[in-house]
Each structure stands twice: as C-alpha cells, then as structure tokens.
C-alpha cells in the first residue's frame, strides 16, 4: 500500500509540474506602461465619481491598486521619476539626476545628445536627443535581451525625456513632440527616417485646427493628451505591437498634466478638465488595446513620476503653513557671504538645481580654496536662512543628523559624478519657486507626501481585482513587471516584487 501511495504522489507531482511549465513561460502579448506627469495619488478618489467607467475606473474597479506607493529618493522630479519607474532603481545607479544636472562639472540636459541628428524635423534643439546619459537597463531593455531583441519596445510622449527614458537604451523607437513644427519626431539614435505610419499621422496632425490655434502652448491644453493617445494607437497599428510571437512593450507618458499643474496648480477648472480629459483618453487607449490586442492579452500599469504641492498662497489663504523658497534670490547673498568669509574673487556656486547646490570645483581649485571648507561655509549660510529644515553635505550624508528615512532618500538620490555637493530640505508646504511655476501654479521636488505619494495601478493579464495599503516604492514597479514576465529585472534594480493578494 505504501508503494501505491508513493506512486500516486509521484504521479500527482509530475502532472502538476507539467501543467505548471506552460504557465511559467506564458506572457502577455503586450505590456503597456503609463506614466502621468505630476499626478497625485489622491486624484484617484477626488475625481472617481466623475471618471467614466472605461478609463481610470476600469483600472481601479477591475485591476489592483497599491494605495501607498512612495518615491524613495530625492529630488522628486520628472526625468528621475520616469527613469526610476522603468529601471527599478534610483539616481545613485541609473544616473539620471534631474531634468538638468552636471556631469563632473559640465551642465547637461538629461537627454541631449549632440552625436545624433533629429529625424522628422530640422529643429536640432528639440531633436538631438537620446538615452545617452541613462546608465542602467529598463524593463524594455530586459525584455529585448530575453527575446534576443525580437520584442519591440516603443516610447511615446509630449516630452522627449518622457518618451526616451522609459523606453530605454535598446528601444526600437521613441517619439516626442516638436512643438514648433507640430510634429512627432525622433532622432538618428533610433532610425534614419520616420516610418510611414508616423509620417501619415504627422500629416493628419499638422492639419489639426485646434493644434494650430494653441501653437507652441499645446502643453497647456488637454489636446496634448489626445494626440499622445492618437500617436500611441498609430504605433500600435503601424508596428503591429502585440501581434508577433514575442511580448512587446508600449511606454506612454502624459505630460500635459505637469505643464497645467505648474501653470494652474492642483485645484481649479483647468486641472479638473485635464484629468477628466485624460480619463477619456485612457478609455480610448484601452478600447484600442481591446480591439487590436484583445482584452486580457495585455498587462498595463499606471503610475506617476512625482506628485505636487498645493499652491502656497492657496494654503496660506486657508491658514496653513506654506510659502516660496527663492533659491536664485538667495544665491547673490550666499556668494557675498562666502567671499566675506574666505576672500575669494570668483563665484563658488555653478548652479542651484532642485534644492541642490552644485559647486564650481574648477573655480574653487583655481583660487587655491579648500573644497570642504567652502562647503562648510555654504552650509553655515544656508542654516541661517528661514524655512530650511535640513542642510546636508552629500559626501557625509550617511552620518548626517537627519531622520533615517530622509537620509536613505538623500543617499539613493546621490550620484557622485552628477548630483552636486549639498542638498537642502525646506519646511513642509514650502517649495522652490522659479520660472517653471506661475504664482497660482505649483511645483514639486521634495520628500513630503504631497510630492512623493503617487498612484500605482495594475490591470489586465493575470491581475486580480484588489488593493493594498502597505508602503511600496516607485522602484518596485520594474521588478514586479519583470517577475510577471518571468524575465530578469533591470541590471541596477533595487526593487521588491509586489504580490497581488
């Protein structure tokens, strides 16, 4: 009898093992990554009753929501967020340290690449772009590696950085908008000529009367979301995504929400309109995916690159602590203070970007000054300023007298060659006020929940309905998607695999 039971157990294990093998190698036909620029997590509940049933509510009502997804590095800005979503890591490893940053003292824009030429335009300023500064692989890169580059990976967005960084270094293509010429463009990093389907859509786009009316300010209108979805659907058709023998990936980023937020803030009719139109655009995208790939055959996720603070005046009007941090006005006083203390003749600050001070190492050395002493004097000045909570020397951040969670975020955001020298954290409700924000608008960049708490929704292939309020991180997204696909996570990923239960 014992032998019979052993034989039965062997049979059951063999059958179960055989039946599990196909599931292990099973993948969706298409992965769709969606990033909504400057989307706060609480917008999901704020607009829930106004959303249509087939847009964001489809993901919320039929998919899985992680309700406490946090950004685990500083600063919280666009290029870093897009890179972190898809690499599963932070600036310390992927090297995208801001929209603009310095590499060993040389100021750079995150995607500028003068070794490539624009495709689809003569506008070099907007077209000479690539992922040249991205140091680590993305979900799409890993998918391409796993399938010996048979999978197709495409990025589409209004902003160049929001199309390029998600798609990764080995992407088949990334397309972004040349606002001046009202066309979607690319660069020779990807191709020598736009594919015919992209040319065809551009011909439709240039005739768009609404687009002509708004001109280069298109980012301030929901129209940007409409044409982003149109271009994504054109790519879906033109490249036959999800129709081949391997899993493909489409990375779609909506940028108009960020432009509108900077101009008009988190409240008001313009922001309301932006999110309700976004919802309609997502409904159109999902319908196209249902029709062309098949409902249940694609895996989609939606998140944000960062969130946003409420407008400081709005907060003050309602008796809450808030205000502006005027870093550029501070700069002149800072330089004067350093000169009084150290006697230097030339400025010591190269730039102030996203609450970080980039010191001019070459000028400091040329004047015979000690870099560490300059840092100490700069930090001493900053500690005397109002509305600053912490001032941290990046090189000594591991021992800085700041809360542990904040220390970790500072370290994860620090790349020795690219992040500058000193970072400050301002008081809650305060934010850096610059040319990118209007008096009634807002911005982002700090550790606080209003900047760092973002939505995270999964929907579609093998995703159950449910929600989870445990703290998870932006860096967990790539690891989770790669685990669902049974492929290796990106090569600098620090994320955890999330479960759906």
């Amino acid at each position: 009898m014992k032998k019979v039971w052993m034989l039965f157990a062997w049979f059951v294990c063999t059958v179960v093992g055989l039946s599990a093998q196909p599931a292990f190698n099973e993948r969706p036909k298409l992965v769709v990554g969606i990033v909504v620029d400057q989307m706060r997590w609480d917008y999901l509940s704020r607009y829930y009753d106004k959303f249509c049933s087939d847009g964001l509510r489809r993901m919320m009502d039929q998919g899985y929501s992680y309700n406490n997804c946090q950004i685990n590095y500083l600063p919280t800005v666009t290029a870093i967020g897009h890179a972190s979503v898809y690499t599963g890591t932070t600036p310390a490893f992927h090297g995208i340290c801001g929209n603009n940053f310095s590499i060993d003292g040389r100021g750079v824009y995150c995607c500028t690449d003068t070794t490539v030429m624009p495709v689809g335009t003569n506008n070099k300023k907007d077209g000479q772009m690539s992922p040249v500064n991205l140091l680590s692989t993305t979900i799409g890169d890993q998918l391409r590696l796993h399938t010996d580059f048979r999978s197709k990976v495409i990025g589409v967005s209004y902003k160049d950085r929001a199309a390029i960084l998600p798609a990764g270094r080995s992407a088949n293509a990334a397309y972004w908008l040349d606002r001046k010429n009202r066309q979607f463009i690319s660069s020779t990093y990807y191709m020598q000529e736009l594919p015919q389907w992209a040319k065809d859509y551009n011909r439709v786009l240039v005739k768009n009367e609404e687009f002509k009316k708004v001109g280069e300010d298109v980012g301030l209108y929901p129209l940007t979301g409409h044409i982003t979805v149109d271009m994504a659907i054109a790519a879906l058709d033109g490249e036959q995504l999800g129709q081949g023998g391997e899993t493909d990936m489409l990375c779609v980023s909506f940028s108009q929400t960020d432009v509108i937020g900077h101009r008009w803030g988190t409240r008001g009719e313009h922001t309301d309109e932006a999110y309700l139109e976004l919802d309609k655009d997502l409904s159109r995208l999902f319908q196209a995916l249902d029709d062309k790939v098949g409902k249940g055959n694609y895996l989609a996720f939606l998140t944000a690159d960062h969130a946003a603070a409420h407008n400081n005046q709005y907060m003050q009007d309602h008796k809450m602590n808030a205000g502006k941090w005027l870093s550029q006005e501070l700069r002149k006083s800072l330089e004067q203070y350093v000169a009084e203390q150290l006697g230097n003749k030339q400025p010591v600050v190269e730039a102030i970007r996203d609450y970080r001070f980039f010191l001019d190492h070459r000028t400091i050395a040329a004047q015979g000054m000690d870099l560490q002493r300059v840092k100490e004097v700069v930090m001493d000045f900053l500690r005397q300023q109002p509305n600053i909570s912490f001032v941290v020397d990046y090189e000594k951040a591991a021992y800085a007298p700041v809360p542990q969670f904040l220390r970790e975020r500072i370290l994860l955001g620090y790349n020795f060659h690219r992040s500058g020298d000193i970072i400050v954290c301002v008081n809650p409700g305060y934010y850096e006020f610059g040319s990118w924000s209007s008096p009634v608008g807002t911005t982002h960049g700090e550790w606080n929940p209003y900047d760092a708490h973002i939505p995270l929704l999964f929907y579609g292939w093998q995703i159950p309905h449910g929600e989870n309020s445990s703290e998870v991180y932006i860096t967990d997204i790539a690891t989770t998607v790669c685990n669902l696909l049974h492929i290796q996570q990106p090569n600098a990923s620090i994320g955890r695999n999330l479960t759906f239960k």
Side-chain angles (χ1 to χ4, degrees):
M1 178 62 75
K2 184 177 180 181
K3 289 183 177 180
V4 172
W5 278 111
M6 289 177 65
L7 183 63
F8 177 73
W10 173 84
F11 175 76
V12 170
C13 289
T14 301
V15 170
V16 170
L18 288 172
S19 64
Q21 287 174 10
F24 191 84
N25 289 319
E26 185 182 356
R27 297 185 184 91
K29 293 182 178 180
L30 181 67
V31 178
V32 182
I34 302 168
V35 177
V36 183
D37 204 326
Q38 205 184 116
M39 184 175 184
R40 292 168 56 108
W41 170 75
D42 60 353
Y43 286 163
L44 293 176
S45 59
R46 176 174 174 79
Y47 296 115
Y48 181 85
D49 291 338
K50 297 180 180 179
F51 287 149
C52 66
S53 61
D54 213 29
L56 278 160
R57 279 181 61 169
R58 181 199 283 217
M59 300 192 82
M60 298 165 72
D61 294 346
Q62 300 177 38
Y64 200 96
S65 176
Y66 280 93
N67 295 327
N68 192 18
C69 184
Q70 300 284 335
I71 295 175
N72 55 344
Y73 54 78
L74 283 172
T76 49
V77 296
T78 297
I80 302 178
H82 280 84
S84 298
V85 167
Y86 286 88
T87 63
T89 193
T90 69
F93 302 104
H94 63 56
I96 302 299
C97 296
N99 300 334
N100 296 278
F101 51 96
S102 293
I103 300 179
D104 293 330
R106 176 177 57 88
V108 299
Y109 172 67
C110 58
C111 292
T112 294
D113 183 354
T114 57
T115 69
V116 303
M117 294 299 290
V119 172
T121 182
N122 293 320
N123 183 353
K124 288 186 177 182
K125 181 181 177 182
D126 287 350
Q128 287 188 298
M129 301 288 170
S130 84
V132 63
N133 292 318
L134 183 63
L135 301 179
S136 60
T137 60
T138 61
I139 301 169
D141 290 330
Q142 294 301 140
L143 184 60
R144 298 261 290 155
L145 282 164
H146 191 84
T147 62
D148 293 329
F149 300 93
R150 293 187 296 272
S151 292
K152 291 183 178 181
V153 177
I154 306 288
V156 176
S157 185
Y158 162 65
K159 292 181 181 179
D160 51 74
R161 57 187 179 268
I164 291 169
L165 298 174
R169 293 186 68 114
S170 71
N172 298 83
Y175 302 97
W176 58 94
L177 196 65
D178 175 353
R179 293 178 300 165
K180 182 177 179 180
N181 297 305
R182 299 197 298 274
Q183 302 279 283
F184 275 98
I185 61 173
S186 191
S187 78
T188 52
Y189 181 89
Y190 305 99
M191 65 193 75
Q192 296 301 311
E193 185 179 3
L194 291 178
Q196 190 58 49
W197 62 263
K199 292 179 181 178
D200 291 343
Y201 179 62
N202 276 337
R203 277 194 286 269
V204 172
L205 190 57
V206 78
K207 295 177 183 178
N208 187 311
E209 293 301 323
E210 187 180 2
F211 201 172
K212 291 179 182 178
K213 181 176 65 177
V214 298
E216 292 187 43
D217 283 336
V218 63
L220 295 172
Y221 294 86
L223 168 68
T224 308
H226 305 340
I227 62 177
T228 299
V229 166
D230 289 344
M231 185 63 175
I233 293 173
L236 189 68
D237 281 336
E239 298 294 341
Q240 293 291 288
L241 299 179
Q243 305 300 316
E246 303 287 359
T247 300
D248 296 323
M249 186 165 193
L250 178 62
C251 308
V252 185
S253 296
F254 293 93
S255 302
Q256 75 279 4
T257 44
D258 181 72
V259 182
I260 289 169
H262 281 299
R263 177 67 68 89
W264 286 301
T266 61
R267 292 291 185 265
E269 60 178 316
H270 296 290
T271 303
D272 294 348
E273 180 188 23
Y275 280 92
L276 297 182
E277 289 298 314
L278 168 68
D279 183 52
K280 295 174 186 175
D281 288 326
L282 288 172
S283 178
R284 287 198 303 117
L285 178 60
F286 290 142
Q287 188 58 60
L289 291 166
D290 290 348
D291 294 342
K292 300 172 190 301
V293 183
K295 193 171 185 179
N297 289 330
Y298 59 91
L299 167 66
F301 67 85
L302 181 146
T303 189
D305 53 348
H306 55 76
H310 292 308
N311 175 264
N312 68 90
Q313 189 60 55
Y314 172 83
M315 294 289 280
Q316 290 176 33
D317 290 345
H318 291 83
K319 302 181 180 179
M320 285 176 271
N321 186 54
K324 301 173 184 176
W325 187 60
L326 303 172
S327 64
Q328 297 308 316
E329 291 187 12
L330 193 72
R331 185 171 178 173
K332 184 177 179 180
S333 299
L334 168 59
E335 292 286 6
Q336 183 178 349
Y337 181 86
V338 174
E340 289 171 354
Q341 299 297 312
L342 301 178
N344 56 294
K345 301 298 183 183
Q346 298 296 319
V348 298
V349 176
E350 180 239 322
I352 304 173
R353 303 184 183 101
D354 306 318
Y355 307 96
R356 299 167 300 175
F357 288 74
F358 292 72
L359 300 185
D360 191 332
H361 292 206
R362 292 186 181 89
T363 299
I364 290 170
Q367 296 180 90
M369 304 169 73
D370 178 70
L371 178 61
Q372 188 57 46
R373 177 59 181 149
V374 173
K375 285 186 191 178
E376 290 170 358
V377 173
V378 170
M379 292 171 66
D380 180 59
F381 172 83
L382 293 172
R383 290 191 182 105
Q384 298 176 43
Q385 306 310 306
N387 304 312
I388 293 180
S389 303
F390 300 103
V391 182
V392 177
D393 178 348
Y394 266 130
E395 288 193 325
K396 297 182 178 181
Y399 312 103
V402 299
Q404 181 178 345
F405 84 93
L406 190 54
R407 187 184 310 126
E408 291 173 353
R409 293 186 185 196
I410 289 170
L411 287 169
L412 286 172
Y414 175 54
N415 182 289
F416 175 78
H417 295 283
R418 303 182 175 196
S419 294
D421 300 276
I422 296 165
I423 186 169
V424 302
C425 295
V426 294
N427 287 348
Y430 282 75
Y431 53 76
E432 187 169 10
F433 186 78
S435 59
W436 53 88
S437 297
S438 78
V440 295
T442 189
T443 192
H444 47 85
E446 277 286 5
W447 66 267
N448 308 74
Y450 47 74
D451 282 350
H453 188 186
I454 55 176
L456 177 54
L457 303 170
F458 289 89
Y459 166 79
W461 184 81
Q462 293 196 354
I463 301 298
H465 175 53
E467 61 180 321
N468 188 310
S469 294
S470 299
E471 185 170 82
V472 301
Y473 303 108
I474 190 172
T475 47
D476 297 333
I477 298 169
T479 299
T480 302
V481 172
C482 288
N483 184 68
L484 287 168
L485 300 178
H486 292 109
I487 64 174
Q488 186 63 271
Q489 66 262 49
N491 63 9
S493 174
I494 62 170
R496 304 163 299 167
N497 178 54
L498 304 179
T499 57
F500 300 90
K501 59 182 181 181

